[in-house]
Amino acid sequence: MVVHKSQEISFIPYGKQELLEEDISSVVEVLKSEYLTQGPSVAEFEKTITKIVGAGYGVAVNSATAALHIACLALGLKEGDRVWTSTISFVASANCAKYCGATVEFLDIDYDTFNVCVKKLEEALLVAERYGTLPKIVIPVAMCGQSAPMSEIHRLSKRFNFKIIEDASHAIGGKYKGKSIGGHRYADITVFSFHPVKIITSGEGGIAVTHSCELADKMRLLRSHGIVRELKDLVGKKDGDWYYEQVELGFNYRLSDIHAALGSSQAQRLPSIIERRQELANLYDDALRDLPIDLPKVSDENISSWHLYVIRLRSDDMDIKRMFFDEMRLNGIGVQVHYIPIHLHPYYHKNQAYDEYFPNAMKYYRNAVTIPLFPSITADQQKFVINNIKASLEKLV
Ligand SMILES: *Cc1c(COP(=O)(O)O)cnc(C)c1O
């Protein structure tokens, strides 16, 4: 069957938000209310998210990047410390450590799950132990919505004495070993993003969830300038009812009530959104199964939130990927690459020899392409994507 480009199928992005009337009215409600920021909607949003994922506490901020930053600070990260994260992630997973003056070191992935390879992590930890260069924090990433092997990473954290921040920017609504990501106790802090391409959105926004009251308090302090107002938190004496104190160097990482209201409204639909994404992923699985490409694999212990559907071409030649990519884009299909290995970015890149530490990530980078998956994609659009993949592969392979 030939699917022609029509008005309706103009450009199909790899991901995008789904906004319903109810989302719009909940934002309008805030716009008509007393508070655009520092009102009641943020606390409501935090309550909603912590309840959904089964965490103890949630601190909502204006991006997942901000959440990662204050998570690092709350865990005491400072200059001279080391943070390890997966090289296949968005740069924010590494930058949060640099903001704190820490050193970042990268980890290779497991080629099948795109998540950090535990065997290599353990080997690296054994070497680091010998040299006295162990990390203070490890940041596993739940790539594409599938959790990293958190129980094994948690076991290693006890043996080698590091903290865990789970970058679950892709993965709200996903499950690991029967528990919601963010709800199990394998991470000290779990971070979600509410950018419009992610599972649910607040426009911009993120949240750090934890089971520790102390960590949540610290993050709340850092979110708003390091300022305290309550009598019990004051260091000095209260001069009058206007009085507040800055006790730490914090930031303005606050989420506005406008954003929070959108997030809360979207969060109500999380289960159906995950179901829809799973359905779309299944459709791709069935339609692409017999093609000369590798499809994403989700291990038995995971339920993925399906933030991204990544196919891998079986050629190790980046030229083939480039041709495939260009052809898809020419036909109006917004394929993308998630991600350029972080260690290859000029800011982080050391030298070519360094690349050899990451054979799986480098191979992944040579052949991985993200294809469109979002709740409002139509059956025709998905068919169009599938047929174009088939046609391009026939030409190229
Ligand atoms: C999107 C993303 C972030 C950053 O999220 P923002 O909310 O845009 O700051 C961090 N890590 C990963 C893995 C992401 O995909």
Side-chain angles (χ1 to χ4, degrees):
M1 192 184 76
V2 181
V3 179
H4 293 286
K5 269 174 86 172
S6 69
Q7 201 70 4
E8 205 185 338
I9 302 172
S10 47
F11 183 79
I12 309 169
Y14 78 84
K16 78 178 225 197
Q17 73 279 7
E18 180 193 57
L19 285 187
L20 301 188
E21 257 334 294
E22 63 214 57
D23 299 325
I24 293 164
S25 41
S26 76
V27 171
V28 169
E29 207 175 297
V30 172
L31 292 175
K32 289 179 177 166
S33 78
E34 202 63 28
Y35 295 100
L36 300 187
T37 190
Q38 295 177 284
S41 301
V42 174
E44 275 165 30
F45 183 41
E46 290 173 341
K47 223 165 113 189
T48 301
I49 297 296
T50 40
K51 188 158 172 240
I52 287 175
V53 304
Y57 308 87
V59 181
V61 286
N62 51 27
S63 70
T65 305
L68 288 165
H69 184 193
I70 58 174
C72 285
L73 289 172
L75 290 171
L77 190 70
K78 51 184 190 324
E79 213 175 318
D81 290 335
R82 288 184 172 76
V83 169
W84 290 8
T85 191
S86 169
T87 191
I88 296 296
S89 184
F90 184 56
V91 292
S93 310
N95 289 347
C96 55
K98 301 296 285 186
Y99 299 154
C100 305
T103 303
V104 183
E105 282 155 10
F106 296 101
L107 298 161
D108 199 11
I109 56 163
D110 176 290
Y111 188 67
D112 281 330
T113 63
F114 322 153
N115 279 322
V116 61
C117 172
V118 171
K119 192 166 156 276
K120 287 193 179 181
L121 171 62
E122 182 167 4
E123 285 166 10
L125 287 165
L126 284 167
V127 173
E129 188 176 45
R130 233 182 298 134
Y131 288 96
T133 55
L134 282 168
K136 179 156 190 164
I137 300 175
V138 172
I139 306 183
V141 181
M143 257 302 277
C144 304
Q146 166 166 228
S147 174
M150 294 302 293
S151 70
E152 285 150 283
I153 298 170
H154 180 258
R155 181 177 47 77
L156 291 172
S157 78
K158 295 301 160 203
R159 185 165 143 212
F160 293 98
N161 195 28
F162 59 82
K163 300 289 183 191
I164 301 174
I165 301 172
E166 184 179 19
D167 185 347
S169 290
H170 296 184
I172 196 162
K175 289 196 172 158
Y176 174 69
K177 296 199 168 177
K179 287 217 167 159
S180 293
I181 294 175
H184 59 63
R185 290 171 183 267
Y186 297 125
D188 294 281
I189 299 171
T190 298
V191 167
F192 299 112
S193 170
F194 304 118
H195 182 279
V197 296
K198 308 287 161 79
I199 308 292
I200 54 172
T201 187
S202 61
E204 291 277 5
I207 195 168
V209 300
T210 177
H211 286 285
S212 156
C213 177
E214 194 190 337
L215 288 175
D217 283 346
K218 269 192 203 164
M219 291 192 286
R220 221 163 267 132
L221 185 64
L222 291 163
R223 163 175 72 180
S224 198
H225 306 284
I227 284 175
V228 293
R229 290 170 195 280
E230 284 183 45
L231 203 55
K232 68 172 174 52
D233 301 320
L234 298 180
V235 176
K237 83 169 194 354
K238 187 167 171 169
D239 294 335
D241 262 352
W242 63 84
Y243 193 72
Y244 59 86
E245 282 175 349
Q246 185 194 335
V247 295
E248 276 212 37
L249 183 61
F251 309 86
N252 180 354
Y253 280 168
R254 291 188 305 262
L255 187 72
S256 81
D257 282 50
I258 306 170
H259 294 87
L262 176 55
S264 288
S265 174
Q266 292 247 316
Q268 306 305 323
R269 295 201 300 280
L270 184 61
S272 63
I273 288 172
I274 299 298
E275 222 170 274
R276 172 76 178 140
R277 287 182 171 274
Q278 177 75 60
E279 176 187 36
L280 294 167
N282 292 346
L283 267 160
Y284 274 140
D285 282 349
D286 289 341
L288 304 174
R289 182 164 296 136
D290 297 328
L291 298 181
I293 50 177
D294 290 320
L295 303 182
K297 294 189 185 86
V298 175
S299 71
D300 288 342
E301 59 192 15
N302 275 291
I303 293 176
S304 178
S305 66
W306 286 108
H307 166 51
L308 301 172
Y309 194 96
V310 174
I311 61 171
R312 285 158 297 160
L313 307 181
R314 286 201 188 129
S315 154
D316 220 19
D317 181 351
M318 183 96 87
D319 283 340
I320 300 278
K321 160 158 156 172
R322 208 173 289 118
M323 282 187 271
F324 176 79
F325 189 95
D326 290 350
E327 175 140 337
M328 295 290 280
R329 280 283 179 102
L330 261 175
N331 289 325
I333 297 166
V335 287
Q336 189 49 279
V337 174
H338 298 96
Y339 292 94
I340 302 162
I342 303 177
H343 78 270
L344 289 183
H345 285 285
Y347 177 79
Y348 285 108
H349 200 217
K350 293 182 182 162
N351 52 54
Q352 228 124 46
Y354 187 53
D355 301 346
E356 284 165 29
Y357 285 97
F358 314 102
N360 291 341
M362 295 298 285
K363 183 172 174 203
Y364 171 89
Y365 180 48
R366 282 191 296 271
N367 60 28
V369 177
T370 305
I371 63 174
L373 193 159
F374 51 90
S376 60
I377 193 170
T378 64
D380 277 352
Q381 286 177 319
Q382 203 181 12
K383 227 174 268 166
F384 183 72
V385 173
I386 290 161
N387 288 340
N388 269 281
I389 292 172
K390 286 182 182 164
S392 298
L393 287 174
E394 252 165 51
K395 257 194 262 173
L396 293 170
V397 193

